[in-house]
Amino acid sequence: MVSGLTVSERRLALVIAGLIAVCGLAMAIVGRNDLIGAHGFIVLAFSLGVIALVATRYLDPEPPEDRLSQYYDDPTKAGIVLAMIWAVIGMFFGVWVAALLAWPDLTFDAAWASFGRLRPVHTSGVIFGFGGNALIATSLHVLQRTSRARLPDQFSPWFVLIGYNLFCVLAASGYFMGVTQSKEYAEPEWYADLWLVIVWVVYFLIYIRTLQRRKEPHIYVANWYYMAFILVVAILHIVNNLAVPVSLGHAKSYSLFSGVQDAMTQWWYGHNAVAFFLTAGFLGMMYYYLPKRAGRPIFSYRLSIISFWGITFMYMWAGSHHLHYTALPQWVQTLGMTFSIVLLVPSWASAGNALATLNGAWHKVRDDATLRFMMVAAVFYGLSTFEGSFMAIRAVNSLSHYTDWTIGHVHAGALGWVAMITFGSLYALVPWMWKQERIYSPALVEVHFWLALIGTIIYVFAMWNSGIIQGLMWRTYNDSGTLAYSFIDSLVAMRPYYIARTVGGLFFFAGAVVASYNIWMTIRMSRRAEAAGRDTVDVPASAALVPGE
Amino acid sequence: MGTEHRDPVTGRMTTGHEWNGIEELNTPVPRFVLFFLAVTTLFAIIYWIFMPAWPLFSTYTKGILGFDQREVVTRQVQEAAAARAGWMDKIANKSFAEIAGDEALMRHVRETGPTLFADNCAVCHGVKGTGGPGFPNLTAGAWLWGGDPETIAQTIRAGINSTDGGTRVSQMLAFGRDGILTSDQVNSVAAYVRSLSGQPLNASEQARLPAGKEVFKANCVSCHGENGKGIRDVGAPDLTDPHWIYGGDAQSVYTTIYGGRQGHMPHWQGRLSPADIKLLTLYVGTLGQDGSLGKDGSLGKDASLGKDASLGQDASLAEDASLGKNGTGGGGKP
């Protein structure tokens, strides 16, 4: 992959990696009495690894000129592999924290294995590690195909991909050590946040620069969503992470916000992370891979437009529904609730647009587990957006808030929608990228589909039951007018559901392992074909930059 | 770039856009989508009219219902308190004896007590009040400071070795660590202490008893009393009963004597209302009563905590001792 870079790009890679290595060394020295020092060493080791990788191929000949007439897919390939690695890591920790709730001794008396540290490793691992890498990989693929333009250069996509994974490594390793801002889904500390801003700006510029050079008159819907994802996540990330570090040698920082303003900023961020990271980005994925795999035109261009603008406009207001019945002024809660309800319409319009696109291809849904992944994802997208709007109603929220119902809702979205659309898209994309006619084993895709679906259903039903029982127990009064149940009573009642949830998670995790194996074997198939000197099938290389795959 | 054409499946025209083979139909937005958009928007507008909704420069639109969540929750809390006032006030105002004699009030105590106990006390004393290593069993009647209601209430109010001004203070010295006794003396007195509750001793422990008794007389009686039955004024436990907070096996007793003990219980006044503390006192009292009935069960639990290996012996001892225990414990109870 390094030999695909031009010599000047290799030189630039060495310079940038060298600069980051120097930063890492500086962090290690200045922060030697603090956890930031440990992170300095990680940054140093990471960048030295990158330098070693580039240096070993530095003297390779320049890549052939005709590469410019082809799409640049190496970063996409690497992104797919990284996404699957993070999927296995993140879901493994998900199963662990689920088991911890049923069997609390599974921390083994180790600080790093306590619930508070493992849980963000799970959430960041699956959202940012798995989801983020999948988004970067697919967006670079979709961007080129729908613009009929090659990426503007070969260095910046690698900078984005590798830089983003450095951020993920800093995040996860920090949680184990106890480095956290204690802001949900925004746990990494100031220096990791600053680094992500740089990476993200480069990511956005890749998008703009490629779109500027597009050979299609219109910008495809998928790109609207990917752009909204990149742009809004940048805004959210910067505002919510405004903080002042104790010193340059300390990991700890203090947020610019306090009290209810902090809570509101955090949930404006948190809910829009759901909206623009976990929804908009993956809708971009859906709008490309679903019609492509189904071989059908999008059901309605007009519906795409109103759902896009409905979603981007309405989500911005919805965050305050996380703070019903709190110190947040009620008028803010009202706005959060009412916009959440209106939001249901564009959300369902998107889900409906996807499902109606399958008209004329339902026989393929029946036979092709890859397409079925995407169909089920659209269904879960519809289900969880309905549930979300429902839970945003104050009266409903008074029952659901702080209970496992919220966890069930999140996982209906995360497992049913985000992960399923990703697996479906990757199963479609992997054979295209590695120039194979099909995935290594369609039967294993079928196995994965059922593992994922069963796991999701067990998980979601367990949490619905658990959450509603919990909510009811907390609000039940006895004849004396005092609470009928103690908190620990409700915990005892939760236990069977916690065990069921762990089982559901195990199913889903097993599916991810099967997927990783299947994808890995497809890659090996491609390598064997190359080694045998067989001409790789499928994509006519010379014909790239016109409809390819 | 494609061209507009009719899709054979749906009969709709395409928009004429095409991206790498993906086309779009020019299907109009379905009527019901627009209908639901209108309905939900209308709902939002009506909700805004009735409820607090939009920020103005220094205030916000209050809504014609004049609804305010702070007022609502305050009113609900007051109403709930008023609904409980009938019996809560009686608990607050009557003496413990009067309440204990009033079956209707005791029904409220038994109904409310478990939740109050589980939410505040169970984390140390266990859901059933049976305690655990380091935390006293409240069902056994083996009170450190006395089991009459006023004494229990004072313990809850002020705590033990707490930060409250009126806290109960109790400390057992670190006889071994601080060099007051030699290791040999600690071993001897540990054997003697274990003999007080009738635990079976091995030969070497038997041999240590006379020496242990001397050490006990010289060092322990000021708190634990001549006969080892404890002194409640200083919170020193009875060493003759089968109940152990930190364990009654040889190793645990040695550790206690060597390193001393200073248990801690937080104070609850200021956090729980006086009526709640009274209610908890009465509930803890019922635990003791149940305890004397179901003593074997709770003792069996003690034994199974694994304080030493000889479970069978322990259990039989516990039965013996619980008879003696009932005598003393009963005296201290209401």
Side-chain angles (χ1 to χ4, degrees):
Chain A
M1 288 186 170
V2 175
S3 49
L5 299 176
T6 62
V7 172
S8 66
E9 282 168 337
R10 289 173 213 166
R11 200 174 304 135
L12 182 60
L14 286 180
V15 170
I16 299 282
L19 282 176
I20 296 167
V22 170
C23 288
L25 187 63
M27 279 165 71
I29 293 168
V30 178
R32 63 192 173 281
N33 296 322
D34 190 81
L35 291 172
I36 199 177
H39 264 161
F41 280 113
I42 290 177
V43 172
L44 184 62
F46 191 97
S47 37
L48 288 179
V50 172
I51 289 172
L53 207 67
V54 177
T56 50
R57 291 301 183 91
Y58 185 77
L59 296 175
D60 282 10
E62 286 268 6
E65 264 312 303
D66 70 350
R67 73 180 189 282
L68 295 176
S69 63
Q70 295 171 19
Y71 297 125
Y72 187 50
D73 289 330
D74 284 355
T76 298
K77 290 182 184 177
I80 292 169
V81 173
L82 287 166
M84 293 314 296
I85 292 172
W86 279 107
V88 172
I89 295 173
M91 290 176 200
F92 168 77
F93 281 104
V95 175
W96 189 349
V97 288
L100 256 182
L101 288 168
W103 298 282
D105 288 338
L106 290 175
T107 59
F108 312 111
D109 276 341
W112 64 266
S114 55
F115 183 86
R117 295 193 187 181
L118 291 190
R119 191 229 178 218
V121 175
H122 162 58
T123 54
S124 291
V126 291
I127 298 172
F128 299 121
F130 170 53
N133 275 303
L135 284 171
I136 292 174
T138 57
S139 68
L140 296 179
H141 172 253
V142 170
L143 173 65
Q144 297 183 89
R145 297 319 188 270
T146 55
S147 303
R148 266 203 300 149
R150 184 183 161 89
L151 294 177
D153 68 306
Q154 299 183 124
F155 171 75
S156 52
W158 282 114
F159 176 79
V160 170
L161 185 71
I162 295 174
Y164 181 75
N165 279 279
L166 174 59
F167 167 80
C168 292
V169 167
L170 287 180
S173 59
Y175 305 151
F176 283 126
M177 296 188 289
V179 176
T180 172
Q181 294 191 111
S182 306
K183 280 176 168 247
E184 202 170 10
Y185 314 126
E187 290 93 349
E189 273 290 359
W190 60 276
Y191 47 94
D193 290 337
L194 282 175
W195 171 242
L196 184 63
V197 171
I198 297 170
V199 168
W200 216 250
V201 168
V202 175
Y203 188 19
F204 188 66
L205 289 177
I206 292 178
Y207 240 83
I208 297 290
R209 288 155 72 207
T210 310
L211 284 174
Q212 270 179 339
R213 295 165 43 253
R214 75 180 187 278
K215 297 194 186 68
E216 295 286 356
H218 298 274
I219 299 175
Y220 183 53
V221 200
N223 288 323
W224 310 345
Y225 278 109
Y226 279 124
M227 292 260 288
F229 145 64
I230 301 170
L231 184 64
V232 179
V233 166
I235 298 169
L236 298 170
H237 174 74
I238 291 171
V239 174
N240 190 42
N241 286 305
L242 288 173
V244 182
V246 171
S247 83
L248 289 179
H250 283 85
K252 174 93 190 115
S253 67
Y254 287 93
S255 173
L256 229 54
F257 310 101
S258 63
V260 76
Q261 283 83 2
D262 184 38
M264 186 60 246
T265 311
Q266 162 61 25
W267 283 110
W268 166 79
Y269 165 88
H271 197 73
N272 284 304
V274 173
F276 289 91
F277 204 103
L278 296 176
T279 304
F282 292 88
L283 280 171
M285 227 184 245
M286 184 189 82
Y287 268 109
Y288 184 83
Y289 296 98
L290 183 135
K292 197 80 194 160
R293 185 80 181 186
R296 292 288 306 150
I298 294 291
F299 168 69
S300 168
Y301 171 57
R302 294 154 191 265
L303 206 52
S304 307
I305 297 179
I306 67 157
S307 14
F308 175 78
W309 288 108
I311 287 172
T312 43
F313 175 72
M314 239 83 79
Y315 255 118
M316 273 289 157
W317 298 77
S320 57
H321 70 219
H322 286 259
L323 297 164
H324 280 332
Y325 301 99
T326 64
L328 188 75
Q330 198 181 343
W331 62 264
V332 196
Q333 301 176 28
T334 297
L335 293 177
M337 169 185 145
T338 47
F339 277 105
S340 301
I341 291 169
V342 184
L343 180 58
L344 177 62
V345 180
S347 299
W348 270 24
S350 289
N353 208 8
L355 292 173
T357 297
L358 294 171
N359 282 339
W362 286 101
H363 60 287
K364 292 188 187 168
V365 175
R366 184 193 58 207
D367 297 336
D368 177 11
T370 301
L371 190 56
R372 212 180 313 128
F373 259 116
M374 299 193 229
M375 186 279 285
V376 170
V379 170
F380 269 103
Y381 176 60
L383 284 177
S384 52
T385 49
F386 171 76
E387 191 183 27
S389 296
F390 183 60
M391 290 166 79
I393 298 169
R394 268 166 60 92
V396 179
N397 200 261
S398 76
L399 175 68
S400 74
H401 205 181
Y402 310 116
T403 72
D404 289 334
W405 189 354
T406 306
I407 322 299
H409 167 60
V410 168
H411 283 83
L415 305 178
W417 156 240
V418 174
M420 295 242 201
I421 193 68
T422 306
F423 288 133
S425 301
L426 293 187
Y427 281 133
L429 177 59
V430 163
W432 293 338
M433 285 290 95
W434 276 276
K435 301 190 173 25
Q436 297 300 304
E437 275 175 45
R438 55 170 179 80
I439 198 89
Y440 166 69
S441 165
L444 284 181
V445 179
E446 192 74 34
V447 168
H448 179 197
F449 173 80
W450 289 107
L451 285 172
L453 186 62
I454 292 169
T456 305
I457 288 174
I458 293 176
Y459 191 110
V460 171
F461 272 88
M463 290 296 96
W464 277 337
N465 279 301
S466 160
I468 290 171
I469 292 172
Q470 210 175 11
L472 290 174
M473 286 179 87
W474 291 347
R475 58 159 57 179
T476 302
Y477 287 83
N478 54 33
D479 294 341
S480 300
T482 54
L483 286 173
Y485 300 102
S486 63
F487 183 73
I488 201 164
D489 287 334
S490 71
L491 271 185
V492 172
M494 294 309 88
R495 189 150 196 270
Y497 304 107
Y498 285 169
I499 295 171
R501 178 246 294 267
T502 310
V503 172
L506 259 177
F507 270 93
F508 205 88
F509 170 61
V513 173
V514 170
S516 305
Y517 173 75
N518 208 356
I519 290 173
W520 182 245
M521 292 307 285
T522 311
I523 297 172
R524 281 188 51 181
M525 252 162 53
S526 146
R527 286 191 180 162
R528 266 202 300 274
E530 273 174 27
R534 256 181 290 146
D535 199 22
T536 45
V537 280
D538 191 31
V539 188
S542 58
L545 297 200
V546 291
E549 60 259 38
Chain B
M1 184 79 188
T3 50
E4 293 171 37
H5 62 91
R6 195 168 292 280
D7 170 51
V9 178
T10 56
R12 298 279 180 193
M13 292 299 287
T14 65
T15 56
H17 310 159
E18 189 252 293
W19 298 269
N20 199 25
I22 300 177
E23 291 180 298
E24 294 169 322
L25 300 179
N26 207 7
T27 316
V29 176
R31 282 279 179 80
F32 63 87
V33 173
L34 297 174
F35 173 74
F36 279 113
L37 195 59
V39 168
T40 50
T41 308
L42 198 65
F43 169 80
I45 292 170
I46 292 171
Y47 197 88
W48 295 339
I49 293 171
F50 281 94
M51 301 294 266
W54 284 92
L56 304 172
F57 281 101
S58 58
T59 176
Y60 55 90
T61 59
K62 303 272 198 298
I64 57 181
L65 288 184
F67 192 87
D68 181 287
Q69 67 167 6
R70 186 186 295 263
E71 284 170 15
V72 171
V73 76
T74 309
R75 194 180 65 237
Q76 285 174 337
V77 169
Q78 282 166 351
E79 282 170 3
R84 286 192 299 266
W87 60 272
M88 267 294 202
D89 288 352
K90 286 184 193 158
I91 297 232
N93 297 324
K94 287 190 171 185
S95 74
F96 283 113
E98 284 172 326
I99 301 168
D102 185 337
E103 187 40 43
L105 281 181
M106 284 309 286
R107 194 174 57 78
H108 290 298
V109 169
R110 280 191 294 271
E111 206 164 56
T112 301
T115 306
L116 208 52
F117 186 86
D119 280 340
N120 295 286
C121 319
V123 67
C124 293
H125 291 290
V127 180
K128 294 188 165 68
T130 47
F135 303 105
N137 181 348
L138 304 177
T139 67
W143 302 104
L144 290 173
W145 302 87
D148 64 289
E150 193 35 60
T151 308
I152 294 177
Q154 179 56 25
T155 305
I156 298 174
R157 275 193 294 266
I160 300 165
N161 296 322
S162 76
T163 53
D164 186 79
T167 180
R168 298 190 185 284
V169 179
S170 176
Q171 183 185 19
M172 171 161 162
L173 301 179
F175 286 94
R177 196 184 61 222
D178 290 348
I180 304 165
L181 299 176
T182 65
S183 186
D184 191 53
Q185 286 173 309
V186 173
N187 272 321
S188 299
V189 77
Y192 177 72
V193 165
R194 294 182 69 239
S195 77
L196 290 176
S197 52
Q199 298 195 56
L201 305 176
N202 61 30
S204 77
E205 284 176 313
Q206 292 283 2
R208 285 181 180 279
L209 284 181
K213 188 172 186 179
E214 290 309 309
V215 177
F216 191 85
K217 268 188 182 167
N219 295 281
C220 312
V221 293
S222 57
C223 291
H224 290 285
E226 292 284 350
N227 50 10
K229 284 197 169 297
I231 297 176
R232 286 179 169 176
D233 289 343
V234 293
D238 184 344
L239 303 175
T240 65
D241 67 19
H243 303 296
W244 298 94
I245 299 173
Y246 299 100
D249 59 295
Q251 181 57 49
S252 298
V253 172
Y254 180 91
T255 305
T256 298
I257 299 169
Y258 184 87
R261 295 290 182 188
Q262 188 170 20
H264 173 81
M265 170 167 156
H267 58 92
W268 293 88
Q269 59 188 0
R271 181 165 169 191
L272 295 178
S273 73
D276 279 345
I277 289 177
K278 226 164 156 181
L279 201 149
L280 263 180
T281 303
L282 287 155
Y283 176 71
V284 170
T286 65
L287 287 177
Q289 283 160 13
D290 294 348
S292 60
L293 294 171
K295 181 143 273 174
D296 288 340
S298 60
L299 288 175
K301 201 174 163 80
D302 268 2
S304 68
L305 280 172
K307 286 176 183 159
D308 65 53
S310 51
L311 283 178
Q313 288 170 348
D314 233 43
S316 63
L317 270 169
E319 273 163 35
D320 295 346
S322 70
L323 295 173
K325 174 82 228 76
N326 276 343
T328 48
K333 270 193 290 206

